[in-house]
Amino acid sequence: MNDLLSYWRRGSVRSLTYQWGLVAAIVLALLWLFDTANTNLDRLGIQTGFDFLDDEAGFQISQALFPYTAQSTYIDALLVTFSNTIIVSLIAALLATLLGFFIALSRLSDNLLLRKFGDVYVEMFRNIPLLLQLFFWYFAALKLLPPKRESINLFDAAFLNIEGFVVPAPVLEAGASAVIWAIVISFVLAFGIWRWAKNRQVRTGEPFPSFIIGLGIVIVIPFAVAWIQDFPVSWEIPKFGRFNFEGGVGLQPEFTAMLIGLTLYNGAFIGEIIRAGILSVHKGQREAANSIGLTQMQVYSQIIVPQAMRLIIPPLTNQYLNLTKSTALAAAVGYPDFFWALSGAISAQTGQVLEIQAITLFGYLGVSLFIAAIMAVYNHATRIPER
Amino acid sequence: MEPALKPFIEPQPPPLQSSGLIGWLRANFFSSWFNTFVTLALLWVIYQVGGFAINWGIINANWVGDSAKSCPNIDGACWAFVTERWRLFVYGLYPQELYWRVNVFYLLGALTIIAFIFSFGPATRKLRLTMFIGFPIAAYIFLVGGVFGLEHITPESFGGLLLTLVIATVGIFGSIPLGLILALGRTSDLKVISKVCTYFIEFWRGVPHIAVIVMFVALLPIFIPDGNKIDIVVRAFIAFAAFNSAYMAEVFRGGLQSIPSGQFEASKAIGLSYWKMMGYIILPQAIRNSVPALVNTCISIFKETTIVLLIGFSDFLGIIQLSLEDPKWLGPPHIFSSAYVFAALIYFTFTYGMSKYSLRLENRSNVAQ
């Protein structure tokens, strides 16, 4: 007995016992859950398996990036709605970052009124639930727009009405692919020059105006190619036909409401993140940079922002993750996103609860991990090199 | 040839006044032509928005009435919607003769908040702990009843602000202990325990909250033995505590990581066991450090309560949305705007209060350091 007790007092023995105990408990719990689920599913007569995904979906999706009809399969429906989730997250993240940048600037301004304006904006938008804001934009604000026949006309090219926003659609003609390639190549070239110039400056200290040259390359080469190809892109202008707009691309009010709501809400958070990042750079850094005679532009681009970035990236990643996850609220305003399809029509029609929950969780988990991975790579690239 | 004497330099004008009211105005509003422009533009915006708000919210507003018809003026708010329905918004479908029990819950909640805001001398810590443990229990007794001769009320009849606050309470008071355990697990030296906790936390943090709630509501009946039923409201409560515990865990992990390793080493050196080290040395410091982040998490939990309306619950926003769809009140968009502005004001009061509290704590700890 005494032997056993002294054996137990050994740290390694105890830690192994705890850990194997936990593993055993988890395995047992999973087995028990699996067993109860099996009996329950048998009793309810639910078939498990993912075969239902090849069946005809039978419901419409109001915004589809690629061809989709009610006769398409569930797989197609999932792909279409997943792309809708990605699209709204991407555009909202981009706009929110831009907005957040301006909010941060205004909160750091030396104009008291502008500073207060930024404060009020941030406090207002981040303290009101996102769902309430989405409701406001969708059910109250966008409903103030005029009906289709009295659309607000923007330069005869874009039309804003209660059923959405109709904008000109680009039409690619022969030779457009050459221009697209020119854009890609010019970006690669500009990036190469930037790398070369940076390396050279590190080696020899000789500066090179890589930003201006790069900007020139990115603008001039595609423009020249487009000119040679006789501008192969034309715009299809929407026109009001008998009952509806013909041509152009329509942005639906659901999409617009999601975009406005997500942008304004996340912009407030991102503004606060950027502000905190810039303020956290020690003021000696700014003073030192000023005293060696850098211009204000250089102080920001070479000294402040690179250091602030390291503090901005982790919370910004979190904010992007939150934004992407919160697009699942789209179901509330009827925007056809991934969660809308899974929790709505698909689960009502098939009753395959287990499979649908698995698809939902792993779909979103996949996106989250993807964003986290990208930001981790970026974070690694901008880290403080330790020796 | 250089002249022997340099030419006489004219006296410079005195520098611009930099003190007093004029100096303050100049420094803060008119320091450059750009700032002057911004100031004037913002003054114009404030004038326009302020004028609109007063006109819309007060002068043109309709204050009383019982249907959409009593709000004919679409240039003004329709507060009649709120004044007619406020009981429903605040108490939900709780039986009218038992409103006092809800009021007791609200009062106890307010007392708990007061206990955490103000200091009561040496008894403060004990008082806060008592409130922290006592409030959820008292809330359960008063709201659900079934004991001490109080009539039993099922949670399914909760609604309005009551449901919102109950869900927030469950989320906050459930996730704090769970989150603390998860954070200890994640920072543990035992590899397996740390890995299990990490995966658990990252899993909940990686999926949308509404998906978790739907999952619990849809799947829980499949994963429990036949014959047992869990109320749908309770399922949502469990989901809410589960995913929020993952966020709380990260808050506490931040607090634990802020403790210098010397504290751990010193505790081990004087021979404290793991639990004594944590209980007496590490956690008191770690928890104090994580309080501002904890309050911020409470703010998001409070805002997140709105998502339960997507699974058909009538929380504060849910019951407002339901009332808006009532044919009696179905009307032009200004009724919607008024309802949402009212809801926003209520939510804002809570969240802004919490954020100010967290800011005060942060400033106080900055001063203390």
Side-chain angles (χ1 to χ4, degrees):
Chain A
M1 189 63 211
N2 228 348
D3 274 2
L4 213 61
L5 209 62
S6 70
Y7 197 58
W8 176 243
R9 286 205 178 107
R10 219 182 286 167
S12 61
V13 173
R14 262 186 312 171
S15 86
L16 277 180
T17 322
Y18 289 147
Q19 302 193 46
W20 282 110
L22 182 72
V23 171
I26 290 174
V27 170
L28 281 178
L30 286 179
L31 281 176
W32 181 77
L33 283 177
F34 185 74
D35 186 53
T36 27
N38 253 341
T39 29
N40 279 331
L41 289 174
D42 278 350
R43 186 172 50 82
L44 297 167
I46 297 177
Q47 294 283 320
T48 51
F50 288 93
D51 298 338
F52 73 94
L53 288 176
D54 290 327
D55 296 346
E56 189 182 302
F59 59 87
Q60 289 290 345
I61 296 175
S62 56
Q63 177 187 322
L65 278 185
F66 21 94
Y68 175 87
T69 60
Q71 280 78 44
S72 304
T73 59
Y74 284 116
I75 287 266
D76 292 331
L78 285 178
L79 287 177
V80 166
T81 51
F82 190 72
S83 64
N84 284 345
T85 292
I86 300 295
I87 286 239
V88 80
S89 319
L90 262 182
I91 302 181
L94 208 71
L95 293 177
T97 311
L98 210 64
L99 177 67
F101 178 71
F102 284 109
I103 296 295
L105 277 190
S106 77
R107 297 188 72 191
L108 294 169
S109 139
D110 48 8
N111 186 319
L112 186 71
L113 210 57
L114 193 58
R115 236 167 27 230
K116 286 285 164 220
F117 178 79
D119 289 352
V120 169
Y121 177 86
V122 169
E123 289 300 348
M124 199 164 99
F125 279 90
R126 71 173 185 179
N127 277 322
I128 296 174
L130 175 61
L131 194 56
L132 176 53
Q133 295 190 31
L134 291 177
F135 276 172
F136 176 80
W137 295 115
Y138 185 66
F139 290 110
L142 290 183
K143 291 281 187 276
L144 293 172
L145 291 171
K148 225 185 251 179
R149 286 191 178 280
E150 297 151 29
S151 295
I152 299 170
N153 188 333
L154 302 166
F155 311 113
D156 266 336
F159 299 90
L160 190 62
N161 60 50
I162 196 162
E163 282 172 45
F165 190 36
V166 193
V167 293
V171 181
L172 301 181
E173 290 159 11
S177 60
V179 178
I180 294 172
W181 276 113
I183 295 174
V184 174
I185 290 170
S186 64
F187 267 99
V188 173
L189 206 62
F191 183 70
I193 289 177
W194 176 74
R195 282 292 292 269
W196 168 80
K198 198 173 172 188
N199 277 333
R200 196 184 67 151
Q201 190 167 6
V202 168
R203 261 199 338 270
T204 64
E206 220 159 306
F208 185 80
S210 58
F211 183 75
I212 303 286
I213 302 266
L215 198 69
I217 287 175
V218 169
I219 292 171
V220 169
I221 294 186
F223 191 79
V225 173
W227 188 63
I228 292 167
Q229 297 282 347
D230 212 14
F231 293 101
V233 181
S234 65
W235 295 91
E236 189 189 60
I237 309 287
K239 279 213 164 50
F240 194 73
R242 282 165 70 87
F243 301 108
N244 216 332
F245 282 101
E246 283 153 12
V249 185
L251 300 179
Q252 293 179 338
E254 291 82 18
F255 180 76
T256 318
M258 283 298 290
L259 211 56
I260 298 175
L262 288 172
T263 303
L264 295 181
Y265 182 76
N266 289 289
F269 284 92
I270 293 177
E272 180 60 22
I273 290 169
I274 295 178
R275 184 187 78 109
I278 289 177
L279 280 185
S280 66
V281 177
H282 198 273
K283 82 171 187 265
Q285 295 284 324
R286 185 192 300 261
E287 290 166 357
N290 280 330
S291 70
I292 59 169
L294 297 185
T295 63
Q296 274 313 300
M297 198 62 195
Q298 285 172 327
V299 172
Y300 267 94
S301 68
Q302 307 294 319
I303 309 294
I304 309 279
V305 170
Q307 297 187 68
M309 265 332 222
R310 298 200 186 100
L311 288 147
I312 290 174
I313 293 300
L316 193 63
T317 312
N318 245 337
Q319 200 53 40
Y320 287 155
L321 287 172
N322 282 341
L323 188 153
T324 313
K325 284 184 290 169
S326 60
T327 54
L329 297 179
V333 294
Y335 174 70
D337 81 325
F338 194 51
F339 187 70
W340 170 87
L342 281 161
S343 68
I346 298 182
S347 78
Q349 288 173 10
T350 64
Q352 304 281 347
V353 238
L354 273 177
E355 293 78 2
I356 286 170
Q357 294 306 326
I359 296 172
T360 315
L361 295 185
F362 286 102
Y364 280 105
L365 215 52
V367 179
S368 295
L369 291 178
F370 183 68
I371 298 173
I374 290 178
M375 296 304 258
V377 169
Y378 183 81
N379 209 12
H380 186 76
T382 58
R383 78 197 187 286
I384 303 174
E386 281 178 26
R387 278 181 257 269
Chain B
M1 191 167 143
E2 290 263 317
L5 269 176
K6 285 185 178 163
F8 184 72
I9 297 171
E10 288 292 326
Q12 299 276 312
L16 294 173
Q17 191 176 348
S18 61
S19 60
L21 180 66
I22 302 212
W24 178 80
L25 281 177
R26 188 176 286 135
N28 283 310
F29 301 104
F30 306 104
S31 58
S32 65
W33 63 266
F34 177 73
N35 267 343
T36 311
F37 170 74
V38 168
T39 304
L40 293 179
L42 281 176
L43 282 178
W44 184 79
V45 168
I46 291 171
Y47 172 73
Q48 291 291 326
V49 171
F52 175 79
I54 290 170
N55 270 326
W56 185 83
I58 298 170
I59 297 176
N60 292 335
N62 300 85
W63 294 88
V64 280
D66 56 0
S67 74
K69 287 193 191 68
S70 38
C71 292
N73 187 357
I74 59 165
D75 293 324
C78 181
W79 302 129
F81 174 74
V82 177
T83 49
E84 196 225 21
R85 299 252 162 155
W86 70 270
R87 272 168 199 280
L88 188 66
F89 297 162
V90 173
Y91 297 100
L93 295 175
Y94 213 82
Q96 194 148 8
E97 64 280 7
L98 297 177
Y99 274 180
W100 66 271
R101 280 164 58 174
V102 181
N103 288 336
V104 170
F105 166 72
Y106 288 154
L107 185 73
L108 285 174
L111 287 178
T112 312
I113 291 170
I114 287 172
F116 277 89
I117 291 180
F118 298 106
S119 182
F120 297 91
T124 310
R125 186 174 284 187
K126 236 174 218 168
L127 180 74
R128 286 183 184 171
L129 198 65
T130 319
M131 284 312 237
F132 186 81
I133 298 170
F135 174 62
I137 299 171
Y140 179 84
I141 292 172
F142 276 103
L143 290 178
V144 181
V147 283
F148 304 130
L150 289 170
E151 195 187 327
H152 179 75
I153 306 284
T154 68
E156 279 177 22
S157 65
F158 291 0
L161 192 60
L162 171 64
L163 183 61
T164 292
L165 291 176
V166 166
I167 297 176
T169 309
V170 171
I172 291 168
F173 286 76
S175 67
I176 286 177
L178 277 177
L180 196 57
I181 293 170
L182 283 173
L184 285 178
R186 190 170 182 171
T187 51
S188 157
D189 290 333
L190 308 178
K191 282 272 155 48
V192 176
I193 292 180
S194 158
K195 274 273 176 293
V196 167
C197 290
T198 307
Y199 287 136
F200 185 85
I201 292 168
E202 294 305 329
F203 177 78
W204 295 124
R205 275 161 43 94
V207 293
H209 305 159
I210 177 62
V212 177
I213 293 188
V214 168
M215 183 181 86
F216 268 83
V217 169
L219 291 190
L220 221 50
I222 293 179
F223 283 107
I224 55 169
D226 183 25
N228 296 313
K229 271 217 170 85
I230 301 184
D231 196 273
I232 183 164
V233 183
V234 178
R235 280 182 241 161
F237 284 175
I238 297 175
F240 221 73
F243 69 74
N244 280 317
S245 68
Y247 289 87
M248 279 297 180
E250 289 302 276
V251 168
F252 288 125
R253 186 167 71 112
L256 284 171
Q257 281 175 344
S258 71
I259 307 298
S261 57
Q263 297 282 328
F264 290 87
E265 285 155 12
S267 327
K268 280 179 191 151
I270 57 169
L272 294 182
S273 73
Y274 175 80
W275 291 109
K276 280 189 177 152
M277 169 176 85
M278 282 298 169
Y280 291 121
I281 312 292
I282 307 298
L283 282 183
Q285 303 181 65
I287 291 177
R288 195 187 311 132
N289 287 351
S290 40
V291 164
L294 193 146
V295 179
N296 284 336
T297 307
C298 291
I299 297 176
S300 19
I301 292 178
F302 187 76
K303 286 188 297 175
E304 286 286 326
T305 56
T306 49
I307 62 177
V308 296
L309 77 89
L310 290 175
I311 53 165
F313 286 15
S314 23
D315 72 323
F316 187 57
L317 184 57
I319 214 156
I320 287 179
Q321 190 68 10
L322 270 184
S323 305
L324 283 169
E325 284 158 12
D326 181 346
K328 235 173 71 170
W329 283 103
L330 214 53
H334 76 288
I335 301 181
F336 283 81
S337 317
S338 319
Y340 295 143
V341 167
F342 167 70
L345 282 175
I346 300 293
Y347 279 109
F348 186 81
T349 314
F350 282 94
T351 49
Y352 187 69
M354 284 193 265
S355 78
K356 280 284 144 215
Y357 175 59
S358 127
L359 208 65
R360 206 185 68 165
L361 289 172
E362 233 165 297
N363 289 340
R364 195 192 290 165
S365 75
N366 283 346
V367 169
Q369 276 164 13

